[in-house]
Amino acid sequence: MHNTTLSRAEAAATRPVSRGEVADLVREAQDSCMPIELVGGGTSLDYGGRVRGAARQLDLGGLRKVVDYEPRDMTIVVEAGVHMSDLAATLSQENQQLPIDVPRACEATVGGAVATNWCGPRRFGLGTIRDYVIGIHAVDGRGVAFKGGGRVVKNVAGYDFCKLLSGSLGTLGVITQVVFKVKPLPECVAMVVAKCPDLAVAEDALSRLAMLESPPVAIDLLAGPGWPSFSEDSPAEGCFLALRLEGTKTEIDWLFGRMQAELAAAGTRGIDRLEGGQGENLWSHLVEFPECGEVPAPSDGAAAKSPMVMQVIVPPSAVTRFVAELLSIDSRASIQAHAASGVITVCFSKFTPSDLSPILIARLRPSATCAGGSVVVVRTHLEGLTPHLIWGGRNDAVVLLERIKRQLDPMNILNPGRYVL
Amino acid sequence: MPESLDNVKAANPGPVLDYELLLDCVHCGLCTSACPTYAETGDENESPRGRIYLMRGVTDGKLGLTDRVRSHLELCLDCRACETACPSGVQYGKLIEPFRIAMDQADASRPRGDWFRRYILFGLLPYPKRLRWALTPARIAQRTGALAVARALRLTRLLPSPLRRMVEMLPSPRRNEGALPEFLPAIGKRRATVALFTGCVGDAMFRHVNWATARVLQHNGCDVHVPPTQACCGAIHFHAGANEPAWQLADTNLAAFDPQRFDAILNNIAGCGSMLKEYGHHWHDSQQPARAAWAAKVRDVNEFLDQLGPERPCGEIRAVATYHDPCHLLHAQKIHDAPRRLLALVPGLELRDLPETELCCGAAGTYNLMQPDMSSRLSRRKIENIRHTQARVVITANAGCALQIAREAREQGERLAVVHPMEILDWSYRGITPRWQSIS
Amino acid sequence: MDRSTLELADELRRLLGPKRVLDSRSDLAVYECDAFVLEKNCPSVAVLPESTAEVAAIVRLCNERGVAFVPRGAGTSLSGGGMPVGGGVMIVLTRMREVLEVNLRDRYAVVEPGVVNVNLNKRLAGTGFHYAPDPSSQGACTIGGNAATNAGGPHTLKYGVTVNHVLGVELVTAEGEVVQLGGPIDGSPGPDLVGTIVGGEGTLGIVTKVWVRLTRNPQGVRTMLGIFESVDDATQAISAIIGAGIIPAALEMMDQGILVAVEEAFHFGFPLDAEAILLIEVDGLEVGLDAQRDRIAEICRAHQAREVRFAADAKERLQLWKCRKQAFGAIGRLSPSYCTQDGVVPRSKLPHILQRIRAIGKKHDIRIVNVFHAGDGNIHPILLFDERHAEQVKRVLAASDEILTECLACGGSVTGEHGIGLEKLSFMNRMFSNDDLDVMGRLRDALNPGGLLSPGKLLPTAGACGMEQIHPGRHAPV
């Protein structure tokens, strides 16, 4: 979090407690042409650039009811302001879970997680949050309360607002309530780590894991000094693989054997199975990484916030190539790649405004786009980046989304300047 | 194209149909992708659902029997793949066949019985002796290499199109074997008494397959009778809309084979087999029950052997092969596993799955002569799929398919041996190593 | 044919040549409906483009002339999605049927919209990967159509529906622009536009290319049958299985009515006196499967299952699935006509809805049999009748309406996988408020501003409650 001073908008935050109140407030804002910034837990307000020119904040933390939970249906209806940790606690009482891993879960809200379409390390095995949203309530930029989907796991009636609002960053509607389908908690979990002497070994290991009949639910490739617990004896170009296995005890034992064989065949070393506290510790590192984004300061090596965190999304087969490229740009960068999904988060150790052009504009973005992917500036110390610089150019999707934005938020009241809309 | 009244024929073939059968179609569309012509054109009018819709439209008087309607119906291969795909059990064959017959008969203005139909289709094909005789010049040309030269020089292009296709269709000559005797005794313990239907084209062009079949049956303890008075099955006539001659041929066969005497009436050509099995359905006169009883004895030789429990063949046949499902075996007779199980017994033979094996090769009886364009598209597709398996031997249990696949392979310069499952079994039982070079 | 249609056809012929433009009355007849046969209307012209550029050119031409147009795949929609309301140009995508790319390492394939669902899987045979959504019509329906309707199928219980397996689309917009949304990689930043287009029933654009996710084949699979004396016990067992934290790959139910028909058709050896059968499949790691299977068997027995049978081998498994997937076809043996619904209820409401269905059938004196995706709560009650009796037809319509209304009362939906199309338009006002529909209308207006693309589908026109059904459908597999 880099919002050092409290802005005028935050001072004027209002905290509605029902969808009706949200609708009234949005309508008011529209009538008075006073744009609003939507706030859930406030953990991702700067994710992909902050709202510009909002007159006030709409704090959705007041919408915090668990509306309905029927464990036998494996669905739960919650208001948008419910914290992700509270949701997890409620579900775990019934041995269930929403398998989406967000950093700072005690503060992050359900609405915010959906609005950012957050995905964590388990994306490969268990999907993104949009895959779990089966119903949604929202208020559009005219203050009209609407809903999409419903409370059943299979439903194709009407347009799927659950999808449209996932990742919309509050630009198309204020999410007030979400229905999730949920999953059973796994009986057992194990983390596996292995050290790769170089990226070629990592690539071999990754392509083996990708073709397995029974891959892990998460395959993370970790590189750089942001991973202190593993980097003591590793050479600069070294990296780690961290895998998460889920299933019954028997399944995990079998899987570990399988992983061990593949990892060894690829030439990785120090293959280890972490359980209990050690495993949990590593897992929480993996989940929190994009948020803490700490790198050793160039001066004294003490942990410091990264000045520039980017997300590079590329085909899984291109992950190691891009990790290599990122390390060649900044050998002190900390990198976490959800390798089997192709999502790379990089925390640069240093980044100045003059780096933008040669690194982001001329190098990373064109090569990622060329591979069919994208680069997003997740958060940065740098000031004044335009949305297009943060998200990439005005592509086909943006052209269509602008049309939708004009229909749903004609006065541009909702989160102006957020995303490219 | 806008409708003009001129090409709307007054006569309506609809009334010949059993209207209830039309109603069985619920328009679900699950048949479409199974239809080879639809797979090629993507036009629903060239799908079973579309054709049923057209027939129903004409029957209901909502549509005229225009040339366009006619062409969609004529383009149907009658391969019956749609019957396999249909979940509602629509009996498509019982719709398209009588409808096309009625369509032909109703249309007095069309040049019926053109020379090709009159002399070749109806005058020659059904009569093995005449056919063998008529083929003599071509056979001589083939033996002397003149045909190869003519083919190479594209001289065969000078022939009228259907005739040219027939010449192109000629299989490579095999050792000239004499006619089958009337009786071949079982070898070893007698397990069954069967009659063998030898077919017209079959006897003229595939006598070696008939021999192989008879020997395989003998080897499996069957007394094999070959009634000399048997005739063509009549399928060619029936499917080309000539009901009367087909009827007569059926009754000739009824007289030639006494069903009481045999455990089964066997055949080795899928097209003939399905016609023989349908004798009971087509004509409704006093003989109908007799024909139904007769038809109940008909078995494809693969089906029969598989049920009988085949003797294990010992001779090794080293080959990478693929099996092509003839429509009239797979779709019309629903025989899928039997030939595969038989072939799996042969030591050394590697049988690879053929992609789109359920899709017609384009032969479809005389279809390849009447609809050469669509027929070629389908045979090219078939060869493409065969190529995908990298097999050099194609095994199929129907004469038409064998001719079609061999012709297309030859045209594309693909060296493929096309053989019948009984040939493979025969070689294996006798310990003969086939010389693929001479077959392909 | 009027003058402007003639001119339009001529212009289309200039674009596509003479063979791929159909405008004779007989050629258009089959296109007057899809698998939903209650309402019919001929297009003015049907065209068979072979490329995205051709589709775009056709769409632009339609825009210039102000003519409506509608895309169509294999025409297997059970809700009338492929029926041209108000005529116009039908854009038939069945000639765009190439699998353009298969990439196993990055787990995607690129296909044209006319690729038949099962053909993609045939193409993938032997690779160890498959395309997961398996609607029962998969032998004929196209991936483009699957994307339009967000198609489901038995295995969506574990693997999700079409939208979970579409990574990107190439789209010809309603105005004829060609755009690409998403692509080979899952997770373009920003709102999930691909997920919005999928399930848009062809009203938001015409998909001309689809990037689909490929799923690794499971290492092993176990298929079993639970045979129950009562429907109630069977439905309670469903909740208990899922409640125990087991997500089967598929969990299907067939009741006695359908069993009789299926047994007659396929001779599987189903007991004809049982009230319900559950077809349950689990897949995953071999080492865990027997335990899972035994656990499910235990739960079934705890819910008074008379017998639990395991499929002995792959062949028996296929046979079981054939019985299930072709069950609808077998209905023909019970009754001359039938009509099926596509309601969804929360799983825990299954015992209730099935009791209600029985009562509704009794009340209207209509025989109703059931075969459905039990694990998803997606019911497909099949109402048997004879369409030649007008009075029976009325009772069937009334019973259908009551069943779907009951689904809504349970917090469910009127369609789980068939789509709204034309068929369920009248229910949209009951499922959604005017405000909901207003925002949906705005979404459509954003991407289909002239309303020329697929008019009269998915959203009821303002003021009207959709068309009144006068006749139930004779429906096919689900």
Side-chain angles (χ1 to χ4, degrees):
Chain A
M1 296 294 297
H2 321 296
N3 43 334
T4 42
T5 56
L6 205 67
S7 72
R8 202 159 48 84
E10 279 163 294
T14 41
R15 196 179 165 93
V17 292
S18 71
R19 181 164 71 148
E21 280 183 33
V22 172
D24 290 342
L25 287 165
V26 174
R27 218 172 300 123
E28 239 169 64
Q30 192 202 225
D31 292 345
S32 55
C33 285
M34 304 268 271
I36 46 182
E37 177 176 33
L38 309 179
V39 183
T43 59
S44 285
L45 291 179
D46 52 353
Y47 171 77
R50 248 196 117 145
V51 165
R52 298 157 174 225
R56 55 157 43 161
Q57 282 190 331
L58 197 58
D59 176 358
L60 297 154
L63 298 167
R64 53 187 329 153
K65 282 196 289 291
V66 174
V67 179
D68 191 15
Y69 177 30
E70 176 47 80
R72 286 180 306 161
D73 292 338
M74 300 187 84
T75 57
I76 188 165
V77 188
V78 288
E79 288 189 324
V82 169
H83 289 144
M84 291 296 278
S85 57
D86 291 340
L87 175 64
T90 306
L91 291 170
S92 69
Q93 284 170 13
E94 298 289 343
N95 236 350
Q96 295 178 350
Q97 60 161 343
L98 176 70
I100 300 299
D101 311 303
V102 301
R104 292 167 66 188
C106 294
E107 298 158 76
T109 59
V110 159
V114 174
T116 51
N117 191 17
W118 190 261
C119 78
R122 285 190 290 175
R123 174 194 187 127
F124 175 59
L126 294 159
T128 57
I129 198 166
R130 68 150 203 169
D131 295 319
Y132 293 90
V133 181
I134 58 172
I136 204 158
H137 282 197
V139 172
D140 78 1
R142 303 167 300 150
V144 174
F146 68 100
K147 69 169 182 292
R151 295 169 67 161
V152 282
V153 294
K154 210 165 159 196
N155 183 3
V156 294
Y159 291 126
D160 195 349
F161 289 131
C162 306
K163 299 292 180 297
L164 185 67
L165 295 173
S166 294
S168 66
L169 292 160
T171 57
L172 299 175
V174 187
I175 298 170
T176 56
Q177 181 177 306
V178 184
V179 190
F180 291 111
K181 65 172 178 183
V182 297
K183 292 219 157 195
L185 275 169
E187 197 178 299
C188 292
V189 170
M191 297 295 300
V192 177
V193 289
K195 190 167 165 275
C196 307
D198 56 41
L199 282 168
V201 169
E203 176 55 33
D204 187 14
L206 288 174
S207 45
R208 285 164 181 275
L209 294 178
M211 301 307 275
L212 282 187
E213 281 164 318
S214 45
V217 292
I219 304 177
D220 273 13
L221 174 65
L222 314 171
W227 305 100
S229 50
F230 306 115
S231 55
E232 289 152 17
D233 60 333
S234 75
E237 72 276 19
C239 53
F240 283 87
L241 284 173
L243 318 177
R244 181 179 170 94
L245 312 178
E246 293 187 356
T248 60
K249 174 96 176 46
T250 337
E251 285 173 334
I252 289 197
D253 289 344
W254 187 90
L255 273 172
F256 178 62
R258 191 67 208 269
M259 295 306 134
Q260 228 172 356
E262 294 294 336
L263 291 170
T268 67
R269 295 180 207 145
I271 304 162
D272 198 8
R273 174 173 170 174
L274 312 179
E275 263 155 320
Q278 221 187 348
E280 274 164 32
N281 188 29
L282 168 62
W283 180 244
S284 106
H285 258 84
L286 299 182
V287 171
E288 301 294 332
F289 176 82
E291 183 59 34
C292 56
E294 285 183 344
V295 288
S299 48
D300 55 4
K305 283 280 177 191
S306 163
M308 169 64 81
V309 181
M310 285 185 199
Q311 202 161 67
V312 182
I313 304 181
V314 294
S317 61
V319 163
T320 49
R321 177 161 64 83
F322 272 84
V323 169
E325 184 160 353
L326 291 168
L327 288 172
S328 77
I329 291 168
D330 177 358
S331 62
R332 310 277 306 153
S334 277
I335 296 171
Q336 175 188 34
H338 305 323
S341 310
V343 180
I344 307 169
T345 303
V346 52
C347 300
F348 287 98
S349 66
K350 54 186 190 304
F351 210 98
T352 63
S354 63
D355 290 329
L356 276 173
S357 184
I359 294 176
L360 176 63
I361 301 171
R363 191 162 168 187
L364 287 177
R365 195 162 266 154
S367 53
T369 309
C370 188
S374 56
V375 180
V376 177
V377 175
V378 173
R379 53 175 55 94
T380 179
H381 286 170
L382 307 186
E383 302 275 333
L385 268 57
T386 65
H388 286 286
L389 196 61
I390 291 170
W391 293 96
R394 191 165 169 275
N395 60 16
D396 284 351
V398 173
V399 174
L400 300 190
L401 285 167
E402 282 169 351
R403 294 177 195 168
I404 297 172
K405 171 84 171 171
R406 279 197 293 276
Q407 287 286 341
L408 301 193
D409 181 19
M411 304 295 285
N412 198 15
I413 292 296
L414 303 177
N415 274 3
R418 200 82 203 268
Y419 192 48
V420 271
L421 300 175
Chain B
M1 247 156 288
E3 219 86 2
S4 93
L5 277 177
D6 307 344
N7 58 18
V8 178
K9 304 297 184 292
N12 185 344
V16 303
L17 296 186
D18 180 348
Y19 197 76
E20 290 292 313
L21 292 181
L22 276 177
L23 294 181
D24 285 344
C25 173
V26 296
H27 215 251
C28 70
L30 293 202
C31 55
T32 51
S33 67
C35 176
T37 57
Y38 175 80
E40 279 293 312
T41 69
D43 180 348
E44 275 186 42
N45 288 289
E46 276 143 18
S47 77
R49 171 167 78 176
R51 291 191 177 107
I52 291 173
Y53 219 62
L54 290 173
M55 286 189 275
R56 187 167 173 184
V58 171
T59 306
D60 290 347
K62 285 185 187 151
L63 296 174
L65 189 57
T66 62
D67 285 346
R68 274 195 86 73
V69 172
R70 193 183 277 281
S71 71
H72 295 314
L73 297 177
E74 280 170 351
L75 198 66
C76 168
L77 296 138
D78 197 12
C79 69
R80 319 265 287 273
C82 48
E83 291 188 6
T84 305
C86 178
S88 302
V90 171
Q91 301 176 66
Y92 177 81
K94 288 187 184 164
L95 292 169
I96 190 78
E97 287 169 8
F99 195 93
R100 286 209 290 210
I101 290 173
M103 189 165 88
D104 252 35
Q105 287 168 343
D107 180 10
S109 68
R110 272 165 85 90
R112 296 191 65 231
D114 51 81
W115 71 270
F116 172 71
R117 291 165 71 90
R118 214 162 39 232
Y119 297 115
I120 308 287
L121 216 49
F122 296 145
L124 206 52
L125 275 180
Y127 307 105
K129 280 195 186 120
R130 279 194 228 168
L131 190 55
R132 284 187 85 83
W133 169 80
L135 286 174
T136 308
R139 282 287 186 209
I140 291 170
Q142 202 174 36
R143 266 170 219 290
T144 59
L147 188 58
V149 173
R151 269 185 189 141
L153 294 176
R154 312 245 163 193
L155 285 181
T156 52
R157 286 179 179 257
L158 297 175
L159 293 167
S161 147
L163 199 57
R164 182 177 74 230
R165 291 185 70 82
M166 282 189 69
V167 171
E168 282 166 357
M169 205 65 90
L170 270 184
S172 315
R174 301 273 182 93
R175 190 163 57 83
N176 194 8
E177 291 172 288
L180 271 69
E182 282 179 38
F183 178 70
L184 300 94
I187 296 170
K189 185 175 175 286
R190 184 153 59 88
R191 301 166 69 198
T193 304
V194 300
L196 183 61
F197 176 86
T198 52
C200 53
V201 174
D203 193 45
M205 297 187 183
F206 291 93
R207 193 171 269 171
H208 52 282
V209 175
N210 284 336
W211 272 107
T213 304
R215 283 191 296 260
V216 167
L217 288 167
Q218 285 178 285
H219 196 93
N220 280 282
C222 299
D223 273 349
V224 183
H225 296 262
V226 186
T229 53
Q230 58 176 296
C232 164
C233 67
I236 290 176
H237 310 77
F238 190 79
H239 296 303
N243 187 37
E244 223 25 73
W247 196 335
Q248 282 169 19
L249 288 165
D251 287 347
T252 308
N253 282 324
L254 225 60
F257 297 80
D258 175 4
Q260 303 293 324
R261 280 183 59 205
F262 307 117
D263 295 316
I265 300 169
L266 300 182
N267 68 89
N268 55 21
I269 296 181
C272 305
S274 60
M275 179 70 184
L276 299 175
K277 284 182 176 176
E278 284 166 6
Y279 273 2
H281 299 305
H282 292 323
W283 306 283
H284 304 279
D285 57 2
S286 59
Q287 278 281 81
Q288 196 262 338
R291 275 193 292 265
W294 190 92
K297 281 277 165 94
V298 177
R299 296 283 180 281
D300 179 80
V301 66
N302 293 288
E303 180 185 20
F304 175 80
L305 274 178
D306 184 51
Q307 281 165 5
L308 185 70
E311 294 284 327
R312 188 162 281 277
C314 296
E316 194 175 61
I317 308 278
R318 281 232 158 273
V320 177
T322 188
Y323 175 78
H324 157 74
D325 281 295
C327 299
H328 280 88
L329 209 55
L330 178 64
H331 303 303
Q333 301 183 55
K334 311 281 179 230
I335 296 172
H336 174 272
D337 295 343
R340 289 177 169 82
R341 271 197 293 262
L342 293 177
L343 290 168
L345 297 174
V346 176
L349 189 72
E350 184 191 338
L351 204 61
R352 290 189 183 162
D353 286 341
L354 176 62
E356 296 192 333
T357 176
E358 67 293 338
L359 210 63
C360 179
C361 64
T366 56
Y367 187 90
N368 49 4
L369 305 178
M370 310 308 286
Q371 299 281 354
D373 177 52
M374 179 57 74
S375 172
S376 297
R377 285 164 73 171
L378 293 171
S379 57
R380 279 197 297 274
R381 189 170 177 143
K382 185 58 69 181
I383 294 291
E384 203 41 58
N385 281 321
I386 292 169
R387 210 173 266 146
H388 194 77
T389 66
Q390 295 180 314
R392 307 317 297 165
V393 179
V394 180
I395 306 172
T396 189
N398 189 36
C401 304
L403 290 172
Q404 175 87 345
I405 292 169
R407 177 191 59 77
E408 189 62 43
R410 209 158 43 233
E411 260 173 32
Q412 296 195 21
E414 194 80 21
R415 289 191 74 82
L416 280 182
V418 185
V419 297
H420 193 280
M422 290 305 120
E423 289 183 87
I424 299 272
L425 283 182
D426 181 38
W427 288 323
S428 182
Y429 282 132
R430 295 200 287 156
I432 291 176
T433 306
R435 293 187 10 251
W436 302 116
Q437 294 294 321
S438 72
I439 300 170
S440 55
Chain C
M1 208 178 307
D2 61 49
R3 210 186 135 81
S4 66
T5 308
L6 281 176
E7 281 174 17
L8 176 68
D10 281 342
E11 285 195 54
L12 287 166
R13 268 189 274 273
R14 267 195 288 282
L15 283 177
L16 305 177
K19 285 196 175 159
R20 293 186 284 124
V21 178
L22 310 177
D23 65 342
S24 75
R25 200 163 68 86
S26 65
D27 279 356
L28 295 173
V30 71
Y31 292 108
E32 72 184 6
C33 63
D34 46 33
F36 172 69
V37 295
L38 276 193
E39 290 165 54
K40 293 175 181 166
N41 193 37
C42 264
S44 316
V45 187
V47 290
L48 294 129
E50 289 177 347
S51 67
T52 303
E54 285 184 356
V55 174
I58 294 161
V59 169
R60 285 194 298 269
L61 183 64
C62 291
N63 273 281
E64 277 165 33
R65 295 186 149 261
V67 179
F69 52 100
V70 60
R72 176 173 172 119
T76 55
S77 165
L78 291 164
S79 60
M83 193 278 241
V85 178
V89 175
M90 175 169 279
I91 303 177
V92 182
L93 296 160
T94 49
R95 288 181 73 90
M96 295 176 67
R97 56 190 168 208
E98 291 294 316
V99 175
L100 301 170
E101 189 191 346
V102 171
N103 185 327
L104 300 180
R105 173 65 173 87
D106 291 331
R107 299 195 169 203
Y108 70 89
V110 191
V111 301
E112 291 188 318
V115 168
V116 171
N117 177 304
V118 82
N119 286 355
L120 174 57
N121 278 326
K122 281 185 186 166
R123 168 78 182 267
L124 292 167
T127 63
F129 288 82
H130 68 286
Y131 172 63
D134 62 338
S136 293
S137 58
Q138 71 184 135
C141 61
T142 63
I143 304 250
N146 292 171
T149 54
N150 189 14
H155 287 86
T156 57
L157 174 58
K158 178 169 178 181
Y159 291 97
V161 290
T162 301
V163 72
N164 306 115
H165 297 270
V166 173
L167 303 169
V169 295
E170 179 186 77
L171 191 77
V172 173
T173 67
E175 286 154 308
E177 309 134 287
V178 178
V179 297
Q180 185 186 326
L181 310 173
I185 309 167
D186 187 10
S188 337
D192 183 8
L193 200 46
V194 174
T196 309
I197 302 290
V198 172
E201 301 194 21
T203 63
L204 301 178
I206 299 178
V207 167
T208 49
K209 207 187 269 182
V210 192
W211 282 260
V212 296
R213 185 197 303 281
L214 301 181
T215 303
R216 192 68 172 85
N217 297 352
Q219 195 183 46
V221 57
R222 299 287 185 279
T223 309
M224 70 199 94
L225 278 181
I227 299 164
F228 293 84
E229 304 282 355
S230 89
V231 170
D232 236 39
D233 289 340
T235 47
Q236 300 288 1
I238 295 165
S239 279
I241 291 166
I242 306 227
I246 303 170
I247 305 284
L251 208 179
E252 304 279 303
M253 189 181 129
M254 296 189 260
D255 73 3
Q256 191 177 21
I258 200 93
L259 281 176
V260 171
V262 165
E263 187 53 28
E264 197 182 309
F266 304 110
H267 313 290
F268 189 81
F270 293 122
L272 296 179
D273 57 336
E275 259 199 14
I277 276 187
L278 295 182
L279 169 57
I280 310 164
E281 187 161 287
V282 286
D283 67 14
L285 285 185
E286 273 295 342
V287 288
L289 282 177
D290 285 340
Q292 265 193 65
R293 182 191 63 187
D294 296 345
R295 184 77 209 284
I296 291 174
E298 195 183 296
I299 295 172
C300 286
R301 289 194 194 101
H303 285 82
Q304 286 82 47
R306 176 208 293 181
E307 190 190 341
V308 180
R309 282 188 207 169
F310 301 144
D313 51 25
K315 200 167 172 188
E316 221 173 281
R317 170 178 180 248
L318 280 181
Q319 175 73 5
L320 273 176
W321 275 110
K322 186 176 168 193
C323 291
R324 163 59 188 97
K325 290 206 171 186
Q326 301 212 343
F328 275 73
I331 294 290
R333 294 161 200 269
L334 298 179
S335 146
S337 316
Y338 64 93
C339 140
T340 179
Q341 292 303 336
D342 179 34
V344 195
V345 295
R347 259 184 301 258
S348 57
K349 295 281 181 7
L350 275 176
H352 168 77
I353 192 77
L354 286 169
Q355 280 162 12
R356 286 294 301 141
I357 289 172
R358 233 177 312 169
I360 291 167
K362 211 170 268 171
K363 175 178 159 195
H364 293 277
D365 191 21
I366 292 292
R367 185 164 173 213
I368 303 177
V369 299
N370 290 286
V371 46
F372 60 92
H373 311 307
D376 292 321
N378 187 186
I379 56 166
H380 291 312
I382 304 166
L383 295 81
L384 307 179
F385 67 105
D386 187 335
E387 65 178 344
R388 288 166 290 197
H389 295 133
E391 191 266 338
Q392 264 190 42
V393 169
K394 263 193 209 150
R395 283 188 276 132
V396 164
L397 288 171
S400 296
D401 192 275
E402 260 184 63
I403 292 170
L404 292 181
T405 305
E406 189 64 36
C407 289
L408 291 181
C410 292
S413 169
V414 295
T415 176
E417 53 188 7
H418 297 176
I420 295 293
L422 292 173
E423 190 202 15
K424 299 250 160 46
L425 276 178
S426 61
F427 277 93
M428 284 298 275
N429 286 333
R430 293 200 239 166
M431 255 190 101
F432 295 103
S433 70
N434 285 340
D435 280 352
D436 300 337
L437 294 176
D438 167 70
V439 179
M440 286 189 194
R442 285 184 159 255
L443 173 58
R444 184 186 54 191
D445 291 348
L447 300 185
N448 183 7
L452 291 177
L453 170 58
S454 302
K457 304 280 173 59
L458 195 140
L459 288 177
T461 35
C465 303
M467 282 165 265
E468 195 196 344
Q469 279 197 324
I470 44 154
H471 202 274
R474 301 204 328 145
H475 282 166
V478 185

